Amino acid sequence: MYPHLLSPITLGSVTLPNRVIMGSMHTGLEEAGDWGRVARFYGERAKGGVGLMVTGGMAPNLEGGVFPGAAGVFSGSDVANHRVVTDHVHGEGGRIAMQILHAGRYAYGRGCVSASAVKSPISPFVPVALDEAGIEKQISDIVTAAVRAQEAGYDGVEVMGSEGYFLNQFLVRHVNRREDRWGGSYENRMRLPVEVVRRVRAAVGADFIVIYRISLIDLVPDGSSWDEVATLARAVEAAGASVLNSGIGWHEARVPTIATSVPRAAFAWLTARLRGEVGIPVIASNRINTPEVAEGILAGGQADMVSMARPFLADAGFVRKAREGRAAEIAPCIACNQACLDHTFSGRMTSCLVNPAACHEAEFDAVSVIRKRVAVVGAGPAGLACAVKAAELGHTVVLFEKGAIGGQLNLARKVPGKEEFDALVAWYGVMLARVEVRMVEATVADLAGFDEVVIATGVLPRPVATPGVERALSYVDVLNSAPVGRRVAVIGAGGIGFDVAEFLTQAGPSAALDVAAWRREWGVGDPLDVAGGLVTAQAVPAAREVWLLQRKAEKPGRGLGKTTGWIHRAALQARGVKMWGGVSYERITDAGLVIVRDGVSALLAVDTVVLCAGQVPERSLADALGGRCHVIGGADVAAELDAKRAIDQGTRLALTF
Ligand code: NAP
Ligand code: SF4
């Protein structure tokens, strides 16, 4: 089973038991300063069998930190803190490398530095152009960070050279406007990363693992050409790198690179090409989330190792389960970003939608359990999470469901670009093995005799009072394939309104399942042909003409995920969807929807009106039980209905029984 994935590989003097790297993730744990908690997080993953882990990015100095207060290795006390982590990981039989991340002009602060004083479009700060002494200081600080990592017991370092960070900024002319020995010709522009690797290697000796993360496709205008990428790769190899990791896209790129609508293994073709350029091992990354996909990349000769990051939030035991023939039990990362990157970018501790224990391990430790009989009503995310956790803790659990296992997840999985939800529903199906499932509508009588009763009956679409509303369809009907005309008005532009607009405009198969189609749609070319790899996107003609409407006088989509909202807006824009705020609804007639916009009443001549106006809790059973139950998920709070809160609430409740 997974013979390539589970075969050993030697990097430096270290032989790793398998080809899996847990890629660097910024979790916020290090900044919180509880190093026991950091150690627990990595220790759980080491126990889960991953070959090598890479920490979140550690700043080599204050000017290089991604934000003020970003963690780093600035002093001896930092070294002692990191030692807590490495000792714990090694005690669990794991290996860990520290990522050195200098953010350059992406550092959030006035003192940020770069090759030239060229501001990034995603930062308000103009960086200071470094002089010769300033460049020397940065190199020296990065080398010192590597030495401190070694003192702290790490097995290696990853030098972050991609994603548009400091070293990457020197490589491309649109940031590097210098005319000294650090700018101009490519030989000069790549001098900084090569010098960094050379001096890191000289400082840490021959045996320490040095990973260099190289940008294979910048996805920004005037980025690196393939010839430049290959030249850099060979130079970094000669300078002493042990292994090259794949970096995809700058942070300012307007192309999604890890979101759920990006096809699995969408960029492995670039790593395969890199493999032909160098003699050291290469690592594939981005949208690899199952052992099958990872094994396929290795078996196909596209890479020597695979890096997965978020899948280790979803399931710390990923590798162990794959090895034990229990791959179906691996909780899937659905690439939603909802609890990981969206949290990171809003200053909150990282977690995971499918595994709320990620980065919160101690909060989910089971205390001694008195075995109980537990009834859970409703097999949506809240009910499933509660039932599965309660059964895992040894309770006897009966789950009642009148429809289908999955609840609202079954609607999400119908949306093009959200196919990963299939894996989540399938996973719950596997995890229900220890639960008695009764596919019936539960009554009060059915629930007698249980020690704990959990109501997770979900939501109902919010009723809308607009005259003529009986002519409209609900999003539930539409996603369940009710016939819809060619011109459609969608009332409500929340997450579900956007999903429905995407569903209705989709013509042909989902691009999320077809790398070539997806690349055309987003304008992802080949850096062999165009430096940076950006080409003109080819929009697929929309299947319908859609108006996505809301009453709030603001840009629709503001409440979408912090790191994914722009992707949904851009996708709908490419399909010509009209997204209008500040609209009020007068009536629905056979001729369409009468709205008032900018004070003017007008008929929107559409064939179908779809209601995506939010939800209300379905609490009839809870009311009938008169408080003798726990109410969770959408049945508890519909306004914040989302799978992340539902799963967290269901899991935490099970721990209290
Ligand atoms: P929602 O986000 O609350 O949006 C409801 C929409 O309906 C709003 O645009 C609201 O805008 C409108 N509305 C509310 N009451 C109305 C009324 N009486 N008449 C007409 N319009 C009304 O709800 P949702 O779209 O159903 O999504 C529910 C939850 O699912 C979200 O909170 C989200 O967590 C989750 N979800 C997330 C995603 C995602 O992409 N992350 C995708 C799907 C679902 P106005 O009041 O301005 O008209
Ligand atoms: Fe994956 Fe979503 Fe969990 Fe992040 S929150 S690790 S994207 S499942």
Side-chain angles (χ1 to χ4, degrees), residues 25 309-311 313-314 332-341 351-355:
M25 283 178 284
R310 296 170 298 170
L313 295 177
C333 166
I334 57 172
C336 63
N337 285 0
Q338 273 180 256
C340 51
L341 280 139
S351 183
C352 173
L353 178 140
V354 305
N355 175 25

Side-chain angles (χ1 to χ4, degrees), residues 336 338 342 408 412 415 418 421 459 461-466 475 491-500 548-554 556-557 559-562 564-565 568 580-583 585 611-615 638-644:
C336 63
Q338 273 180 256
D342 284 352
Q408 300 275 313
V415 177
K418 292 202 164 176
F421 278 89
V459 293
R462 174 183 283 129
V464 170
T466 307
Y475 66 89
I491 289 184
I496 290 178
F498 270 76
D499 278 357
V500 164
L548 179 57
L549 309 170
Q550 71 179 22
R551 297 170 302 180
K552 284 186 286 296
E554 62 180 37
L560 297 177
K562 202 161 173 70
T564 52
H568 296 298
W580 293 353
V583 169
Y585 314 112
L611 303 176
C612 301
Q615 292 86 16
E640 286 173 41
L641 162 79
D642 72 48
K644 180 180 75 171

Side-chain angles (χ1 to χ4, degrees), residues 585-606:
Y585 314 112
E586 287 208 323
R587 60 190 177 279
I588 302 169
T589 70
D590 288 341
L593 174 65
V594 181
I595 59 169
V596 178
R597 189 173 179 234
D598 297 330
V600 180
S601 173
L603 171 72
L604 207 51
V606 293

